[in-house]
Structures are given as C-alpha cells and as structure tokens.
Amino acid sequence: MRTRPLKVALLGCGVVGSEVARIMTTHADDLAARIGAPVELAGVAVRRPSKVREGIDPALITTDATALVERGDIDVVVEVIGGIEPARTLITTAFENGASVVSANKALLAEDGAALHADAEKYGRDLYYEAAVAGAIPLVRPLRESLAGDKVNRVLGIVNGTTNFILDKMDTSGAGYSEALDEATALGYAEADPTADVEGFDAAAKAAILAGIAFHTRVKIGDVHREGITEVTAADIASARRMGCTVKLLAICERAADGASVTARVHPAMIPLSHPLASVREAYNAVFVEAEAAGQLMFYGPGAGGSPTASAVLGDLVAVCRNKLGEATGPGESAYTRLPVSPMGEVVTRYHISLDVADKPGVLAQVATVFAEQGVSIDTVRQQGKDGEASLVVVTHRAPDAALSGTVEALRKLDTVRGVASIMRVEGE
C-alpha cells in the first residue's frame, strides 16, 4: 500500500458534505485498504465558517473555494454545493489544477454536462456523479459500465422522494395535496421552498442525465418535458384507485421504436397496482431499466438524504482514487449516437380524462365523435349523472400526445361539456 495519502478537497459541508467528511474519518482504514492508499481531507470550503462542524478540524475550514482547488496538491475535489455557479467554475478550475472531480450536482450536469466532460477529457481527469441521480441507488455506474455492452431501450422510474412521499400520503390517507406537502415539510422530506421537487425540475434534471447515459446521446434539461404534481387532486387519486391504479411522478426516457430518436419526460401518471413501481412507498426511489439482452432490471432504495447520498459520493471517491493510483481515468461521456430528442407531441401515451358534462341524451355520442375525429381510440368510458349534471371518465388507447391534446381542446368547445376536471396519462401497462 502506498503511504503518501491522496488529498481530497470538499466543497460544501451541509447535510451531504458533513456526512462525507464523517465517513472519511470514521472509515479511514477501510477506505485506505479498498483504495490502496490513505485518503486525507485536505480542506473544506464553506460559506459560513463560524458554524460548528463536529468532527472536522477547524484548521481545514476555508471560505476561499477557488484557492482550495487551485492548490495543485489536491488529487480529488468533491463538489456538493449544488447550483450552476460557482460550482461550474470550481470544477473546471479543479481539472486545470490536476484534480479529478466527484459531484452530486444534478442541475449542473443536466445543464452543462457535455462541457464538463469535455474539460475532464482535455485535462485527463475523472468526472464521476453517481450521487446526482438517485442517492444511494447504484444507477449511473450500471448504466455506463455494467450495461455498456447492451442496448438500453427504456428507463422508467420514481426519482424524487419528496413527490413520492406526497402522492403516497394522498393515496393512503386520503389527504389533499396541501396537507400531504405540509406533512412532508414537517418531516424534513420537503424544503421550505419545494418548487424544484413538486414542479418536477429535480426529476427532469435526473431524467436528462439518465437519458444521456442510457442512449449515448446528449440530453439537456431543456429537452425534457416537465409537469409537476401541484395539480394532482384527491379526486384524481380516487379515480386512479377505481381503475386499480395509483398515481406516481415518473421520469420516462425511451428510445423510439425505429431507433432514430429518443424522448425524455417527467409527469404524473396512473400506473396499475400490479406494477412494481406502485408499491414504492414514502420517500423511496425505484428505477426500471429495460435492455435488449439483460431484460428488465429494477433498482430500489433511498433516493436522498445525507447518509445515502454520501454513500454514493464515497463510492465514486474510491473509484476515482483507484484510477489516480493506476494513472488512468474511468469512462467519460459517450454521445456517439447523436440521436435527436423528439418533442412531447410525438410521444405515444394513454390518457385518463375526466369531464363534467350535461346529463342528457346524446352527450356520450358527441364526446365519442370528437375522439374519432382526432383519431384517438377509446378504451373505456364511465358515466355518472345526477340532477342534470354528470361526470364522464374516458380512458383512451395509446395515441400520439399531440392528438390527445387536440382532443381535449376540441372537447372544451362542446356546449355539453361544462369543464375538463382532470387529465392524466396512464403508464406501466
């Protein structure tokens, strides 16, 4: 074993960063044995130096992150500060000064991953980011290494624990969205500003990363169709239950049947209770990967939190340190297919549409005519009426999303349709 330690700079010491530092200290001997050399925490960049950080030598604390990554003796930089800047500049500076990088920064990787990979390759460094996608769940490495010889056709999963907790509570307790969000906040699953989670931005960034790795093409967060869960109601949950379904916020990345394009989307969807994702409860994550040779694989576990995310960071740290000792680098970006990302309108889906309609003869015929004119086939219809008003629930067969959207617009123009109560896609057949 080499006795000279590999030096690690830690950027950020919040919930995840503090756990990374703790594990590096308490598991130092095990990490050294696994790597083949000791690792040493050489500096910790923070915004608030006066905060007490148990187990971390105060002499390691600095507010000058740039000076830390420019030192020249740093072997690996662990970036857990998040956001676009200054993280992007600090990572590039680390590459320039001889350090490889381990990051948990999904937003940056989804926005500017291609440029970061290019910089890593230019300077001969590693860029690892297992923790950016699904916390402790091994997903990035299986996709870009274990399945490197296979052809992945679909990635489908729950990649945001906050939204899964909220939807699970709405389903199991009958709570409304606001009540479930309040509970998630009280338990620490939701941030004070939950926008990134409940509006689907967090899941969309992860979908972009997963699609890029799975399909060997470049996918940015702006390419991902995104819908959040703020419009999901207790009535939607009840409708799903009557269909033998539940509602989940899904990230779905697919290769087109002809192999000429890919799609990436995040939105709420009804899935059958028989589907394995339907049983993913509370703040857990689960992802299905469908590959030609391997078949269907499922990855399940805690997708967020200090300890789970730190576990993924440390796994990457071990791999990068091993590469350093061997004077090698691991796999970089693979974007050779250069597949275009198709717009959401071309995606083929099913819909569950709930309409408030007049309770009189001929309404169902009018609605059915609209579907036929738009080229959308109806699977099932359920109608209930009382005191001159009725609800009509239509579940379609699979059709292009644009055709289904056109159908909804045409339905709104019928004088017998009082309103569109809810619209939701149906997945996981």
Side-chain angles (χ1 to χ4, degrees):
M1 178 185 291
R2 192 181 89 164
T3 57
R4 184 175 69 81
L6 292 160
K7 294 189 176 183
V8 178
L10 179 60
L11 307 183
C13 198
V15 173
V16 176
S18 60
E19 274 296 293
V20 170
R22 184 190 67 80
I23 294 171
M24 284 184 65
T25 302
T26 58
H27 295 181
D29 291 342
D30 287 337
L31 290 173
R34 294 166 191 170
I35 292 168
V39 288
E40 173 189 313
L41 188 59
V44 182
V46 299
R47 292 190 180 94
R48 296 185 295 277
S50 59
K51 181 179 177 180
V52 176
R53 293 172 172 85
E54 187 176 346
I56 298 177
D57 183 353
L60 298 177
I61 301 296
T62 179
T63 57
D64 194 343
T66 300
L68 178 59
V69 299
E70 286 180 340
R71 276 176 38 173
D73 65 336
I74 300 297
D75 294 290
V76 184
V77 169
V78 174
E79 183 272 309
V80 288
I81 56 177
I84 305 300
E85 288 291 357
R88 174 166 47 197
T89 299
L90 290 169
I91 289 174
T92 300
T93 303
F95 291 148
E96 293 171 351
N97 286 272
S100 289
V101 173
V102 173
S103 176
N105 196 332
K106 53 188 169 287
L108 177 57
L109 288 158
E111 178 62 34
D112 214 17
L116 293 177
H117 276 292
D119 283 340
E121 183 177 3
K122 175 182 176 180
Y123 293 103
R125 317 297 180 212
D126 273 326
L127 174 62
Y128 276 47
Y129 43 90
E130 184 68 68
V133 175
I137 304 172
L139 193 55
V140 171
R141 193 172 289 113
L143 280 173
R144 73 176 186 176
E145 296 182 34
S146 303
L147 294 173
D150 208 339
K151 182 180 180 182
V152 176
N153 290 318
R154 194 174 194 229
V155 179
L156 166 73
I158 298 163
V159 295
N160 183 271
T162 300
T163 52
N164 198 60
F165 179 89
I166 292 169
L167 293 172
D168 181 49
K169 288 301 173 184
M170 291 176 70
D171 185 34
T172 58
S173 71
Y177 167 77
S178 296
E179 297 170 87
L181 174 59
D182 288 344
E183 184 174 353
T185 303
L187 291 172
Y189 293 129
E191 301 287 346
D193 179 1
T195 303
D197 293 321
V198 300
E199 293 292 356
F201 290 101
D202 174 86
K206 295 171 180 177
I209 295 169
L210 290 173
I213 299 171
F215 307 133
H216 302 278
T217 194
R218 287 177 178 168
V219 180
K220 298 179 70 172
I221 190 169
D223 298 321
V224 181
H225 174 83
R226 175 192 55 79
E227 298 172 30
I229 66 167
T230 56
E231 301 301 319
V232 177
T233 66
D236 293 328
I237 302 292
S239 291
R241 193 179 297 114
R242 284 193 290 270
M243 287 178 57
C245 294
T246 189
V247 177
K248 298 291 185 183
L249 183 73
L250 298 180
I252 305 170
C253 311
E254 296 176 302
R255 190 190 300 266
D258 62 4
S261 64
V262 299
T263 60
R265 51 196 165 103
V266 168
H267 54 71
M270 296 180 179
I271 58 173
L273 293 175
S274 58
H275 195 283
L277 288 179
S279 61
V280 178
R281 306 290 301 280
E282 297 194 334
Y284 277 77
N285 286 189
V287 178
F288 267 90
V289 176
E290 298 175 10
E292 283 195 358
Q296 195 174 74
L297 310 172
M298 182 174 176
F299 300 83
Y300 170 84
S307 294
T309 306
S311 172
V313 169
L314 267 295
D316 279 350
L317 179 63
V318 169
V320 170
C321 286
R322 286 172 175 168
N323 291 344
K324 277 278 184 178
L325 292 179
E327 298 182 346
T329 55
E333 183 189 34
S334 174
Y336 73 92
T337 64
R338 296 183 175 86
L339 296 173
V341 182
S342 297
M344 185 63 189
E346 296 179 13
V347 174
V348 176
T349 61
R350 297 176 66 204
Y351 261 77
H352 174 282
I353 304 171
S354 180
L355 305 171
D356 295 326
V357 299
D359 187 15
K360 61 182 185 180
V363 172
L364 181 56
Q366 285 185 328
V367 169
T369 297
V370 168
F371 278 89
E373 289 173 346
Q374 296 292 325
V376 178
S377 176
I378 293 176
D379 182 13
T380 61
V381 178
R382 185 177 70 252
Q383 183 173 3
Q384 293 178 320
K386 183 179 180 181
D387 299 328
E389 297 295 330
S391 64
L392 191 66
V393 176
V394 179
V395 179
T396 72
H397 286 291
R398 292 171 63 83
D401 199 80
L404 290 162
S405 297
T407 301
V408 172
E409 291 306 307
L411 289 170
R412 294 183 194 275
K413 296 176 182 178
L414 293 178
D415 57 7
T416 51
V417 174
R418 308 293 192 230
V420 180
S422 69
I423 308 168
M424 192 169 294
R425 296 175 183 87
V426 182
E427 298 285 347
E429 300 166 87

